[in-house]
Amino acid sequence: TQLLEQSPQFLSIQEGENLTVYCNSSSVFSSLQWYRQEPGEGPVLLVTVVTGGEVKKLKRLTFQFGDARKDSSLHITAAQPGDTGLYLCAGGPGYSTLTFGKGTMLLVSP
Amino acid sequence: NAGVTQTPKFRILKIGQSMTLQCAQDMNHNYMYWYRQDPGMGLKLIYYSVGAGITDKGEVPNGYNVSRSTTEDFPLRLELAAPSQTSVYFCASSGPGSNQPQHFGDGTRLSIL
């Protein structure tokens, strides 16, 4: 069974601060996906990273896939209250189902 | 655009009762999934299906059953509900393979008392 460890579990910051959350595993993944989940809703895909070392940017969010395809990070620049939510990483071998991490709960206060 | 629709949104059951959680998708996806989400525990896969007539167990299948008679629908059945099944249940669908994005419904919040 592939396991994904996310850190930190919880992060509370002020508007305008920068932050990084991490997603680590001892297994190699074909790809890693990042989702954001808001209260009362299902997760929504933010990005998929496929190539080792790949960096993708989505406005103030920067996603990186590790060179060995075992880890990934999400960096948010100048966080805003609208970034509040549960951030989940998920990985799979490519041919089967996804394994989800436990998530990082981010609270951004005005 | 409907996407993935789950019903009901909320339900309270008594111990030993049974119920079916409904899930329908209109994206013509072959792959469908059922997850449960407990506080601080992320998403655990209960069952999944790669097409009509084909289902397979996930990580936590005990106490649940599924069927997939059509591409659109993937109901989850709870038999003899137990307090340990109190959770939020999410249905999702995707194209083939784990590289494809999964599209989630808004969940069913189930309490077993």
Side-chain angles (χ1 to χ4, degrees):
Chain A
T1 303
Q2 297 179 308
L3 296 175
L4 281 167
E5 299 287 339
Q6 287 190 244
S7 60
Q9 290 185 328
F10 183 77
L11 194 54
S12 180
I13 61 173
Q14 296 294 119
E15 182 176 2
E17 293 184 26
N18 301 332
L19 68 117
T20 302
V21 298
Y22 300 93
C23 176
N24 296 297
S25 176
S26 58
S27 303
V28 175
F29 290 98
S30 172
S31 67
L32 268 174
Q33 300 177 4
W34 285 92
Y35 291 80
R36 181 169 66 208
Q37 183 179 17
E38 299 187 16
E41 299 182 4
V44 176
L45 181 73
L46 294 172
V47 77
T48 301
V49 286
V50 178
T51 305
E54 181 178 7
V55 177
K56 281 192 173 179
K57 293 191 175 183
L58 184 66
K59 297 183 181 179
R60 293 175 293 99
L61 278 62
T62 301
F63 304 85
Q64 185 163 6
F65 201 11
D67 291 340
R69 305 207 315 277
K70 293 182 178 182
D71 55 87
S72 181
S73 63
L74 158 60
H75 182 79
I76 301 179
T77 303
Q80 299 177 0
D83 296 326
T84 292
L86 179 67
Y87 289 81
L88 294 159
C89 68
Y95 55 85
S96 184
T97 57
L98 285 175
T99 297
F100 281 82
K102 294 181 179 180
T104 293
M105 184 65 218
L106 173 64
L107 175 62
V108 183
S109 302
Chain B
N1 294 332
V4 178
T5 303
Q6 291 185 239
T7 56
K9 294 188 182 302
F10 304 94
R11 184 73 184 268
I12 298 174
L13 284 181
K14 294 182 179 179
I15 295 172
Q17 287 185 322
S18 61
M19 76 163 293
T20 299
L21 282 65
Q22 302 291 344
C23 175
Q25 54 94 9
D26 62 0
M27 295 171 282
N28 202 32
H29 285 157
N30 284 326
Y31 283 46
M32 295 188 74
Y33 315 84
W34 273 106
Y35 295 92
R36 59 177 289 171
Q37 186 175 40
D38 300 306
M41 297 301 292
L43 292 164
K44 299 286 188 183
L45 183 65
I46 304 171
Y47 271 95
Y48 67 100
S49 168
V50 300
I54 305 170
T55 63
D56 209 346
K57 295 179 180 179
E59 184 181 356
V60 289
N62 291 344
Y64 307 94
N65 280 300
V66 293
S67 59
R68 185 93 182 272
S69 58
T70 67
T71 299
E72 294 78 19
D73 300 299
F74 190 39
L76 176 72
R77 178 93 177 151
L78 277 72
E79 305 280 4
L80 296 174
S84 62
Q85 293 178 305
T86 293
S87 189
V88 182
Y89 292 85
F90 287 98
C91 178
S93 71
S94 76
S98 62
N99 290 352
Q100 298 297 314
Q102 294 193 7
H103 301 263
F104 287 83
D106 284 338
T108 294
R109 283 143 190 83
L110 180 64
S111 294
I112 316 289
L113 303 177

